[in-house]
Amino acid sequence: MRAGQARLAIDCGSATTTAVLAWPDGSWSPLLFDGEPALPSAVLVAGDGSVVTGQRAWQAATADPQRFIPRPRLSVDEQVSVADVQVAPADLVAATLRRVVDEAHRMAGGPVEDVRLVVPAGWGPRRRTWLRQAAHRAGLAQPRLVEAPVAVASDALASGVQLPVGSVVVVCDLGAGVEVSVLRRGPAGFEVLSTLADPDAGGDAIDAALTATVLPDGGVPAADGWALTASLRTAKHALVGHAAVAVPVPSGPAVVLNHLMVEQAARPALVRAAGLVRNAVDAAEVDPATIAALWCVGGTAQMPLVADVLAAETGLRPTLVPDPLVAAARGAVDAGGLDTGQAAVVAEPVPSVWRAVAIGVPGFASLALVSHALFTPTWHSGLMREWAFMNWGEVAMASVFAVIACLAAGTVLGSTLAARTDSGVPLSAGAQVATGILTSAWLGVAVVGMYAVVGSQYIGTELGAFLRWTMVPVVPMLVVAMVLALIAFRQWRTPKGGWSDFLAFPVTSVVTATVGMMLVQWSLPATYAPGMEVWLGVAQRVGGLLIGVGVITALVSGWWLRLVMGVPFAILTATLVGRYNTGTVAGLYIVAATVWWLGRLWTRILYTAPTQSRRSLPLPGPPHP
């Protein structure tokens, strides 16, 4: 069953509770309650002692308002009195969590053992222990706690946001209240520099202001008050697509609500939230000009006015995170599952034995090609001395494979050191990987330089020609290697599977191109051998064909697509290859290898398209009484 492999993250907020179920393959699904991803946290204690949750609690509130608790997540020492009976808030929260557990079991097909709970960054040990107790009463496995702003920041990184180590970000959680946290990204994860909360600067304050606007005289009965609150929330969501909405008012005529009225009611609360952002930045003792981002999350953050007010009041440019209702839960389910306060170290995977062995393929291919080129040139008589007709394309491909082998070997070494916690090296994991990349790149330069010196001495020709055909082809790859070393050192992003997997050039491409070029070179020196014309011609065409296959194998993934594109291109290279254009054919392969490097750099580091599993969710509607 997949249940034992699933991970469950729950964000039990004051107004709404959201949850996400994730699988080992990286996919995730939000839990839906009554068709929506947000479960109202409100509860109602029935006469028989049972607890009604979610939408049903709001619906029952109009009939029995004295038993309705809209915000059960109270402080540790508070007690709730329902019909003169004291009820522990932990039991009320446990009822909501129990409903989440039931839905998670239904979706996963069984119990989920790996559970994470999102907690506000400002909660101390007592409140965290209290939430663990509520989770235990709900039948949850021992949960791991993840701080809300850390979860939101982790989700932003996972969605492709570029954030170098040392950057400072602000997370503004606008729900029923507001919590603002300032975080700095370090080598081992995010550090909370400051956090401030204000219960009177979020959605509850806006709802109260709207109620005062609709009923300036007040005096609403309790039952009618909950019905009016629900109607106002429905109207706020409906204003997204309408200029005005009629709001039914209990015991009175309907009131028309428009955008201007909502903005007037919301602006004081949002200005107060902006002041909380400024205070949090001041408390963190950071320069506002150095803040990389202001991320807004929570149900209230979806109001268009939020961005305008925060930008005007703070001087920062706010960004609404994707799916703001479930962003914290989604970030927590992808987090390392560590208890808050532990270091979330991002380890570099140790390369597999097969990956280490595969490094030798381009290395041996390089030695085979350069040796074959030097031992099988075509010699011609000259006025002063003999001169050699070289297959410069073979020399160029040997140089490219030498750099590829060195980079792969150096990255394996750096990744292995980074994965060892007892290595004793006073460098971060990223710095060790970057050192491995830089060292291997310069080792590659030294190897191809040695090819040029040894070749020129052995053949007896000028060094300049050998340097052109060994150094120039590897320059693009060396530039990419410098960029990769900078990315690894700054820890902007670690490619999926680690750096050793990222720099693993396709072995099939290396083998086919090497065999192809050696066949071409074998057919050139003996072109005029008696009785060998046909066989040499076939070898030359087959060699060109294999080089074309190597080009397509490097550029395209997927066997079907390789077959469709490889056949015509291989025929083209088989036709093109000849005595005087081996450099052109080799140039095609070198271009393909360069494009492969650039493609990996773009698709795995600079830009990562959001996967289907990170789909956008529809905006949930408010509770309907």
Side-chain angles (χ1 to χ4, degrees):
M1 298 291 291
R2 298 177 69 195
Q5 304 173 355
R7 303 185 307 276
L8 173 64
I10 306 173
D11 183 5
C12 187
S14 297
T16 58
T17 295
T18 57
V20 166
L21 202 62
W23 313 103
D25 61 1
S27 62
W28 64 275
S29 298
L31 300 188
L32 300 181
F33 309 93
D34 301 318
E36 296 180 351
L39 172 66
S41 298
V43 297
L44 183 139
V45 182
D48 59 358
S50 63
V51 181
V52 182
T53 60
Q55 297 280 11
R56 292 190 293 271
W58 276 94
Q59 293 167 358
T62 56
D64 201 353
Q66 303 302 322
R67 294 180 175 273
F68 181 64
I69 299 97
R71 301 287 183 266
R73 200 185 74 174
L74 305 174
S75 65
V76 178
D77 298 324
E78 287 189 61
Q79 293 290 322
V80 179
S81 178
V82 178
D84 297 329
V85 177
Q86 297 295 322
V87 181
D91 291 333
L92 304 179
V93 174
T96 299
L97 293 177
R98 195 174 298 114
R99 184 170 176 186
V100 174
V101 171
D102 293 341
E103 180 62 24
H105 287 187
R106 185 196 65 79
M107 180 178 291
V112 180
E113 301 298 331
D114 190 350
V115 180
R116 295 98 188 269
L117 287 179
V118 178
V119 297
W123 275 21
R126 292 187 64 196
R127 299 214 66 176
R128 295 171 191 239
T129 301
W130 173 82
L131 186 60
R132 284 193 176 97
Q133 292 173 350
H136 177 72
R137 297 180 187 183
L140 282 168
Q142 181 64 29
R144 301 171 180 177
L145 304 188
V146 181
E147 291 183 340
V150 174
V152 172
S154 300
D155 180 67
L157 288 185
S159 64
V161 174
Q162 302 292 330
L163 191 66
V165 172
S167 300
V168 177
V169 296
V170 179
V171 177
C172 184
D173 190 344
L174 291 144
V178 175
E179 182 183 73
V180 179
S181 301
V182 181
L183 296 85
R184 175 182 287 117
R185 187 188 179 193
F190 286 95
E191 174 191 5
V192 179
L193 302 180
S194 69
T195 183
L196 297 175
D198 188 348
D200 299 322
D204 283 352
I206 297 174
D207 291 341
L210 280 176
T211 302
T213 301
V214 173
L215 296 177
D217 297 333
V220 182
D224 293 345
W226 297 127
L228 179 59
T229 299
S231 297
L232 288 173
R233 293 180 179 180
T234 303
K236 284 194 301 182
H237 286 275
L239 283 174
V240 174
H242 300 83
V245 177
V247 180
V249 177
S251 305
V255 176
V256 176
L257 194 69
N258 56 35
H259 290 281
L260 180 60
M261 296 172 63
V262 173
E263 290 183 0
Q264 289 177 343
R267 187 173 293 276
L270 297 181
V271 170
R272 186 165 177 164
L276 200 66
V277 172
R278 294 194 302 269
N279 294 337
V281 172
D282 292 340
E285 298 181 351
V286 297
D287 184 0
T290 63
I291 294 176
L294 169 58
W295 291 329
C296 297
V297 67
T300 306
Q302 299 171 106
M303 296 183 62
L305 184 64
V306 170
D308 297 335
V309 172
L310 292 184
E313 297 290 331
T314 66
L316 303 174
R317 183 179 179 181
T319 300
L320 181 66
V321 303
D323 304 325
L325 278 174
V326 299
R330 187 174 55 199
V333 84
D334 288 336
L338 301 173
D339 286 329
T340 305
Q342 294 180 350
V345 179
V346 180
E348 176 69 21
V350 179
S352 63
V353 175
W354 163 247
R355 181 64 62 205
V357 173
I359 296 171
V361 174
F364 286 118
S366 174
L367 292 174
L369 286 173
V370 72
S371 301
H372 195 246
L374 294 178
F375 294 157
T376 60
T378 304
W379 291 94
H380 298 273
S381 300
L383 295 178
M384 301 295 296
R385 59 184 177 86
E386 288 186 321
W387 59 278
F389 182 85
M390 293 292 301
N391 183 350
W392 294 114
E394 193 170 25
V395 175
M397 287 181 61
S399 301
V400 170
F401 289 151
V403 173
I404 289 175
C406 289
L407 282 174
T411 308
V412 167
L413 177 61
S415 301
T416 304
L417 289 175
R420 293 182 56 192
T421 58
D422 59 344
S423 61
V425 180
L427 293 175
S428 65
Q432 293 179 44
V433 173
T435 302
I437 294 176
L438 289 175
T439 303
S440 58
W442 289 117
L443 177 61
V445 172
V447 170
V448 299
M450 181 186 67
Y451 285 174
V453 173
V454 172
S456 64
Q457 293 296 318
Y458 180 78
I459 299 298
T461 186
E462 61 179 8
L463 180 61
F466 272 93
L467 287 176
R468 284 194 300 271
W469 286 98
T470 56
M471 291 294 186
V472 174
V474 302
V475 168
M477 287 189 295
L478 294 176
V479 173
V480 175
M482 300 301 108
V483 175
L484 293 176
L486 178 61
I487 292 173
F489 178 77
R490 299 288 296 175
Q491 299 187 46
W492 286 327
R493 181 172 298 163
T494 299
K496 184 178 180 180
W499 286 102
S500 61
D501 179 73
F502 175 83
L503 297 178
F505 195 79
V507 173
T508 306
S509 176
V510 175
V511 173
T512 54
T514 300
V515 174
M517 183 56 76
M518 293 184 73
L519 282 175
V520 172
Q521 173 63 6
W522 175 75
S523 68
L524 294 181
T527 302
Y528 304 105
M532 294 289 293
E533 292 85 355
V534 175
W535 292 108
L536 294 174
V538 171
Q540 189 177 95
R541 300 309 167 192
V542 172
L545 192 79
L546 290 176
I547 295 175
V549 172
V551 170
I552 295 301
T553 305
L555 291 178
V556 180
S557 60
W559 289 106
W560 177 249
L561 190 58
R562 285 176 175 176
L563 180 64
V564 172
M565 298 183 62
V567 170
F569 190 83
I571 295 175
L572 174 64
T573 54
T575 306
L576 181 64
V577 71
R579 180 179 178 83
Y580 297 102
N581 54 9
T582 56
T584 302
V585 177
L588 293 175
Y589 186 84
I590 294 169
V591 169
T594 304
V595 171
W596 180 88
W597 283 83
L598 295 174
R600 302 275 280 194
L601 176 62
W602 174 253
T603 58
R604 295 202 177 191
I605 294 184
L606 298 182
Y607 172 79
T608 54
T611 60
Q612 186 178 2
S613 63
R614 289 188 168 269
R615 59 190 181 277
S616 295
L617 300 174
L619 296 180
H624 300 286

